[in-house]
Amino acid sequence: MDDIQKYRDLFFEETDEYLQSLNDNLLQLEKDTDSPGIIDEIFRSAHTLKGMAATMGYTTMAELTHSMENVLELFRSGKVKVTSNTVTVIFKCLDKLSEIVEDLRSEHYPDYDIKSLLYELDALADPKMAAKDEVDSKPALGKSDEISDMDADIIRSALEKGYNAFSIAVKVVENCMLKGARAYLVVNKLEAQGDILQTNPGVEDLEEGNFDRVFKMIFLTKETKENVREMIENVSEVEEVSIDEITEEALPDHYIMTEDAEVAEDGNNANKNSKEILDQKKNQNLRSEEKATTIPTATQSIRVDLSRLDNFMNLVSELVIYRTRLEELSSKQKSTEIDEPLEQVARITSDLQDLVLKIRMQPVNVVFNRFPRMIRDLSQELNKEIDLIIKGEETELDRTVVSELGEPLVHLMRNAADHGIESIAERVAKGKEPKGTIRLEAYQEGNKVVIKVSDDGKGLNPETIRESAVKKGIPAEDLDKNELIQLIFNQGFSTNQEVTNISGRGVGMDVVRQKISSLGGSIEVMSEVDKGTQFVIKLPLTLSIIQALMVHVGTETFALPLGIIEKVVNAKPGDIKESHNEEVYVYREKVIPVVRVNEKLGIESREENQHIILVMIGGKHYGLLVDDLIGQQEIVIKKLSGSLGNMKEYLGATILGNGDITLILDVGNLCSGKGENFE
Amino acid sequence: MAKRVMIVDDAIFMRMKLKDILEKNGYEVVAEAQNGAEAIEKYKTDKPEIVTMDITMPEMDGIAALKGIKQIDPGAKVIMCSAMGQQAMVMEAIQSGAVDFIVKPFETDRVLDSLGKASK
């Protein structure tokens, strides 16, 4: 395969899509085994995958998809009924395929054992079908050029009418695929110019492709030998054509023509009959042509490299910046002439900005669509009955957020299925429906997206948490119920006694929370014993444009993401106290650590008009001491690159209206290491 | 003059692959379509001399599209692209007037052989 490498990316991208669609449709099929539309859809996905894999030279993948296709074809034609067992086998194939694709992606080519899978697939198919493969090497029929008596008479009368009769042998190229169709193409072409009297092998075997590389025909036509040759040679994958003219003398002379007019007559009738059949076929064709008149419209889309979108975003934000500068200049110059076009520019740039943000949006569906399968498998594995209800999967989020969301959500869903939902017996004993329900919901709320994962399972027991907390040395005696539940987000906290296959593999809830807050979001949990548990995740719509609070530290200006700020207070002398050798501030009767931003950054503070910014990071409060407040502003985050990228105090930078560059503080990093002495 | 070809296939990957083979060998790919309906529309506007037509596609499959195109232009040269095991479909296509068919995975020589013969 020539320069196949450059198609790899495209291949994997498309393969992922087709695998996903296979997955979705299989789940659908399991619910509604009679739906022909879904089988068609599944068949098509398998078929396309096969073609793509074979083109890339991924033989195992092609082989597996080919077998899947064979079985699916039987369902499609209604020869075999779909059962839940078949769906399970096809799911297995799908898993294998995903595994193969993953290995291919990482350029890892182990030997796969797909024999057992292939066997299972075969078993699904009708045993007759499986046996058929072995019969295909039937011996060639009769002797090649033997012309039957009847045919001889037809040939004679045709010759009289000025037809030419040819004995034609066609050899197809080696490894010719779909030989039957290839032969049919030749036959079809010839029949447009005359009549084929006889084929060797017979028509049926010919169309089934039951011949080696050569097939023979007797052909009556008014065309010349050369034209016939050209016609056949014009079919691709034909290697050799040999044509012999049949003369009257060469025909067997069992009968004397005049004496046996009847037979000749018969032959003509036969000819007529075949003509009629052909006409009928043509009519059928016309009818099916009429059927295909509805033309559905398809939405068009193109694929774009994400880095190009990022570039686009950057350019648009620069445009916004210069627009603001122009506005500033124009107001200084007091030239009203420029105001009107400038307003237009302003409008267009903000439209552009909206547009590019929208382009970067992706529906959460991309993450959600793996869950139906996951829950199905989990419920089988755990022997529980679980209903998954997904709502709002069309809710959109910035692409970067969506792609990071998978892992924490998988964790929450697994927890819900494993620890949340009780076993059937337990549920019945509690007087609940035997079937548990897990809900996954997403919706937009202002400039945030809310994702809820809830189950109607056993809920979190605050008392168990308390015990576990005390054992781990976490002071939990005077926490109320709600506070206790929030403890599950603490590092190294697990109430689960036994580690099962499904959850409790060391990825704790603290990791989930960390991930969510690294995305600029928050997570809360609500739970009631025996009623269920609900996690509420709130995420910003986008990561690239945020609301920020602009502050002064010394003579420098910094931006702080507004999302994490709870409150800003004026720092009066004496507000900041010493405790455990650290500076603290008392907020709502709780002692919280104070971080002097100027000290952290090595800047001299002016020590006037100081403010404490109260932030919430990972469930803990911190106070950031800064000098002056400037105000709230929408800023575009630009990543720091090169050696600046290593400075962990900053999230990035932004350019202000006056062209100044301002650094955005990474509050999480500034606060880490503070306040560990108490808590 | 390079022959003007339209490629019809629902997988971008397949279209790219085929386009690459054709363009490296002196054909001009004037249009691409990802389903049958689009193929018929583009056949009208772009008037390709040869069409390569995938059989299994969403919306409208290759055979329906072939028939549609033949209705617009009975002399249209449509080459079907099929995979192993689609014999019956290929035969139906031939009956409906496909000039030839090529079988996936595409081998450069065979694709060129077929296109070359169709362009005669």
Side-chain angles (χ1 to χ4, degrees):
Chain A
M1 293 280 165
D2 49 328
D3 54 9
I4 203 78
Q5 213 53 30
K6 71 177 182 201
Y7 301 108
R8 268 181 61 98
D9 292 349
L10 193 54
F11 170 81
F12 286 120
E13 221 171 291
E14 278 204 278
T15 303
D16 288 346
E17 268 173 36
Y18 283 110
L19 287 178
Q20 186 58 51
S21 123
L22 261 180
N23 193 9
D24 293 348
N25 287 317
L26 273 175
L27 283 169
Q28 197 67 39
L29 183 68
E30 199 176 32
K31 284 194 196 128
D32 177 11
T33 49
D34 294 326
S35 169
I38 292 165
I39 298 183
D40 280 354
E41 200 66 37
I42 295 172
F43 176 81
R44 209 164 48 226
S45 299
H47 175 78
T48 308
L49 281 174
K50 176 181 78 170
M52 285 165 54
T55 307
M56 291 294 287
Y58 298 149
T59 41
T60 319
M61 185 175 161
E63 202 180 330
L64 185 55
T65 39
H66 178 69
S67 300
M68 282 168 75
E69 202 189 324
N70 282 347
V71 172
L72 290 167
E73 174 64 36
L74 295 174
F75 299 144
R76 206 157 77 129
S77 57
K79 280 185 191 133
V80 179
K81 281 291 252 181
V82 180
T83 64
S84 82
N85 177 37
T86 54
V87 175
T88 306
V89 172
I90 297 173
F91 262 133
K92 271 194 211 162
C93 296
L94 189 57
D95 288 342
K96 196 72 183 177
L97 276 181
S98 308
E99 186 191 326
I100 295 174
V101 170
E102 280 321 304
D103 282 338
L104 290 172
R105 203 194 305 268
S106 52
E107 308 215 26
H108 180 65
Y109 308 100
D111 278 334
Y112 298 100
D113 184 22
I114 58 168
K115 274 213 189 77
S116 60
L117 268 182
L118 293 182
Y119 179 78
E120 276 184 77
L121 279 172
D122 278 346
L124 287 182
D126 197 284
K128 263 185 266 165
M129 291 296 293
K132 200 182 150 205
D133 284 343
E134 289 147 33
V135 229
D136 74 354
S137 55
K138 253 190 226 165
L141 298 172
K143 273 196 187 160
S144 52
D145 297 326
E146 204 169 86
I147 299 170
S148 73
D149 302 335
M150 202 172 79
D151 283 348
D153 289 318
I154 296 169
I155 293 170
R156 258 186 218 108
S157 68
L159 287 176
E160 261 185 19
K161 286 174 191 151
Y163 279 85
N164 296 320
F166 299 114
S167 160
I168 304 171
V170 180
K171 189 178 183 187
V172 296
V173 294
E174 212 176 327
N175 306 325
C176 175
M177 276 175 288
L178 298 188
K179 280 187 289 189
R182 187 64 60 197
Y184 183 71
L185 187 59
V186 173
V187 169
N188 204 56
K189 274 199 168 187
L190 291 179
E191 278 187 333
Q193 308 295 336
D195 284 306
I196 291 175
L197 267 191
Q198 190 185 321
T199 61
N200 179 16
V203 180
E204 260 177 43
D205 282 320
L206 194 66
E207 288 186 0
E208 291 278 300
N210 291 339
F211 57 94
D212 189 21
R213 279 173 66 192
V214 181
F215 62 96
K216 293 174 182 171
M217 296 161 292
I218 294 175
F219 182 48
L220 299 179
T221 179
K222 287 197 168 165
E223 293 288 331
T224 63
K225 191 171 168 180
E226 281 62 44
N227 284 351
V228 173
R229 177 183 295 277
E230 206 188 308
M231 239 168 8
I232 301 172
E233 279 179 344
N234 228 340
V235 173
S236 61
E237 299 191 21
V238 166
E239 192 177 277
E240 215 183 308
V241 183
S242 83
I243 303 179
D244 288 316
E245 196 162 350
I246 305 170
T247 55
E248 220 181 315
E249 298 82 64
L251 291 169
D253 50 357
H254 287 264
Y255 302 97
I256 299 157
M257 240 172 53
T258 45
E259 268 180 288
D260 214 285
E262 247 181 62
V263 181
E265 197 69 40
D266 272 0
N268 276 340
N269 278 346
N271 245 349
K272 251 184 229 152
N273 283 342
S274 67
K275 277 257 162 61
E276 270 164 27
I277 291 165
L278 264 181
D279 285 347
Q280 269 174 5
K281 271 191 184 167
K282 269 179 199 149
N283 283 338
Q284 274 171 0
N285 278 349
L286 279 176
R287 240 171 283 139
S288 52
E289 264 165 51
E290 279 162 18
K291 261 192 276 171
T293 41
T294 44
I295 299 170
T297 46
T299 51
Q300 291 201 322
S301 65
I302 57 164
R303 261 166 231 276
V304 182
D305 195 336
L306 190 58
S307 65
R308 285 196 194 163
L309 271 188
D310 287 342
N311 262 339
F312 185 24
M313 183 76 197
N314 275 334
L315 291 174
V316 171
S317 30
E318 254 160 64
L319 200 60
V320 173
I321 290 153
Y322 284 102
R323 180 198 74 196
T324 332
R325 288 195 69 182
L326 273 177
E327 281 167 347
E328 275 187 24
L329 285 174
S330 134
S331 68
K332 266 187 208 154
Q333 306 271 326
K334 300 211 167 52
S335 65
T336 44
E337 235 176 300
I338 207 165
D339 275 359
E340 203 262 347
L342 204 56
E343 255 169 50
Q344 290 293 333
V345 172
R347 191 179 51 79
I348 295 169
T349 41
S350 47
D351 281 358
L352 254 181
Q353 204 173 351
D354 280 355
L355 186 67
V356 68
L357 280 180
K358 257 186 219 135
I359 293 175
R360 289 178 55 91
M361 293 293 210
Q362 221 177 10
V364 286
N365 190 13
V366 180
V367 183
F368 283 12
N369 58 17
R370 73 178 82 163
F371 294 126
R373 173 73 197 280
M374 196 182 96
I375 294 299
R376 172 193 181 273
D377 287 355
L378 283 179
S379 58
Q380 285 199 341
E381 204 172 315
L382 297 164
N383 211 6
K384 292 178 181 176
E385 278 190 41
I386 304 174
D387 215 2
L388 175 65
I389 298 173
I390 295 183
K391 276 196 186 145
E393 65 244 71
E394 70 288 338
T395 314
E396 290 188 320
L397 268 171
D398 191 274
R399 223 204 108 116
T400 35
V401 182
V402 173
S403 58
E404 296 289 313
L405 203 54
E407 194 191 318
L409 277 184
V410 167
H411 191 75
L412 292 179
M413 297 294 281
R414 276 176 184 275
N415 269 343
D418 192 13
H419 307 316
I421 305 288
E422 311 92 330
S423 67
I424 299 172
E426 222 174 306
R427 288 185 72 90
V428 172
K430 282 179 187 170
K432 287 177 167 184
E433 284 274 312
K435 198 171 202 176
T437 307
I438 298 178
R439 284 168 180 277
L440 181 58
E441 268 177 278
Y443 55 89
Q444 196 171 334
E445 196 181 81
N447 64 345
K448 296 217 155 172
V449 166
V450 181
I451 296 173
K452 284 186 185 168
V453 179
S454 51
D455 63 67
D456 65 348
K458 56 175 167 265
L460 295 164
N461 187 344
E463 287 318 308
T464 330
I465 296 176
R466 192 195 303 273
E467 276 166 36
S468 175
V470 172
K471 245 184 254 164
K472 292 192 173 79
I474 303 168
E477 278 84 357
D478 6 288
L479 294 179
D480 68 20
K481 191 186 135 211
N482 194 34
E483 283 168 322
L484 281 168
I485 290 171
Q486 306 304 326
L487 280 179
I488 59 162
F489 290 117
N490 277 18
Q491 204 174 346
F493 198 93
S494 170
T495 52
N496 198 25
Q497 268 80 26
E498 63 212 281
V499 172
T500 66
N501 188 15
I502 288 145
S503 42
R505 273 193 278 201
V507 198
M509 292 302 296
D510 63 312
V511 179
V512 172
R513 185 166 67 179
Q514 241 172 49
K515 191 94 214 179
I516 300 291
S517 39
S518 78
L519 293 171
S522 65
I523 180 166
E524 279 173 51
V525 57
M526 280 158 268
S527 183
E528 202 146 329
V529 174
D530 284 346
K531 289 252 174 70
T533 309
Q534 180 175 53
F535 288 91
V536 180
I537 300 171
K538 290 188 180 164
L539 291 160
L541 270 181
T542 171
L543 290 181
S544 30
I545 294 187
I546 58 164
Q547 286 286 332
L549 180 69
M550 311 301 286
V551 298
H552 274 311
V553 177
T555 53
E556 304 286 330
T557 307
F558 293 102
L560 286 160
L562 206 59
I564 51 165
I565 297 176
E566 280 218 344
K567 199 178 173 187
V568 178
V569 292
N570 219 323
K572 286 179 252 30
D575 273 356
I576 297 172
K577 302 180 173 80
E578 286 267 335
S579 161
H580 297 79
N581 290 330
E582 276 193 61
E583 285 186 307
V584 297
Y585 175 75
V586 180
Y587 172 56
R588 286 189 195 158
E589 292 165 14
K590 264 171 74 183
V591 175
I592 61 170
V594 170
V595 178
R596 284 181 184 264
V597 177
N598 66 309
E599 278 176 17
K600 274 274 179 185
L601 303 176
I603 300 170
E604 201 149 309
S605 167
R606 284 176 299 172
E607 311 234 343
E608 53 187 44
N609 195 20
Q610 285 186 319
H611 287 80
I612 298 170
I613 299 168
L614 297 167
V615 295
M616 171 87 154
I617 294 159
K620 286 185 200 164
H621 282 100
Y622 295 91
L624 293 172
L625 190 68
V626 300
D627 289 351
D628 228 349
L629 297 183
I630 301 169
Q632 194 177 322
Q633 195 178 329
E634 197 165 72
I635 58 165
V636 178
I637 300 181
K638 286 175 171 270
K639 286 258 174 284
L640 295 172
S641 55
S643 54
L644 291 177
N646 297 328
M647 300 175 61
K648 60 178 171 56
E649 291 87 354
Y650 308 106
L651 273 179
T654 188
I655 305 174
L656 302 179
N658 58 10
D660 281 354
I661 294 172
T662 291
L663 291 165
I664 306 161
L665 295 176
D666 186 339
V667 181
N669 253 317
L670 287 180
C671 297
S672 66
K674 274 280 174 182
E676 271 158 10
N677 295 345
F678 42 95
E679 170 73 28
Chain B
M1 261 298 279
K3 287 279 172 186
R4 297 155 43 80
V5 185
M6 167 162 82
I7 299 176
V8 188
D9 197 311
D10 58 331
I12 306 174
F13 171 76
M14 279 300 181
R15 293 205 300 274
M16 290 251 310
K17 179 75 193 146
L18 202 51
K19 186 175 178 173
D20 192 55
I21 294 178
L22 295 181
E23 286 185 342
K24 276 187 184 153
N25 291 284
Y27 289 89
E28 186 192 349
V29 176
V30 292
E32 287 179 38
Q34 55 185 347
N35 63 54
E38 207 183 310
I40 295 178
E41 283 314 302
K42 291 202 170 163
Y43 190 86
K44 289 185 202 157
T45 52
D46 296 308
K47 302 191 175 58
E49 289 163 279
I50 303 174
V51 180
T52 71
M53 177 81 72
D54 186 30
I55 290 182
T56 19
M57 285 183 294
E59 311 279 347
M60 182 195 272
D61 71 15
I63 292 178
L66 163 73
K67 288 173 182 167
I69 289 175
K70 278 285 184 183
Q71 224 163 31
I72 303 165
D73 175 8
K77 288 177 172 172
V78 181
I79 297 175
M80 305 308 286
C81 303
S82 86
M84 294 287 291
Q86 287 190 313
Q87 171 115 342
M89 304 264 236
V90 173
M91 293 213 195
E92 193 187 343
I94 293 169
Q95 197 134 54
S96 310
V99 289
D100 199 357
F101 65 95
I102 42 185
V103 183
K104 294 175 192 175
F106 298 138
E107 278 176 42
T108 307
D109 292 346
R110 296 206 173 160
V111 173
L112 293 177
D113 179 36
S114 174
L115 268 280
K117 283 173 173 169
S119 17
K120 274 187 191 167

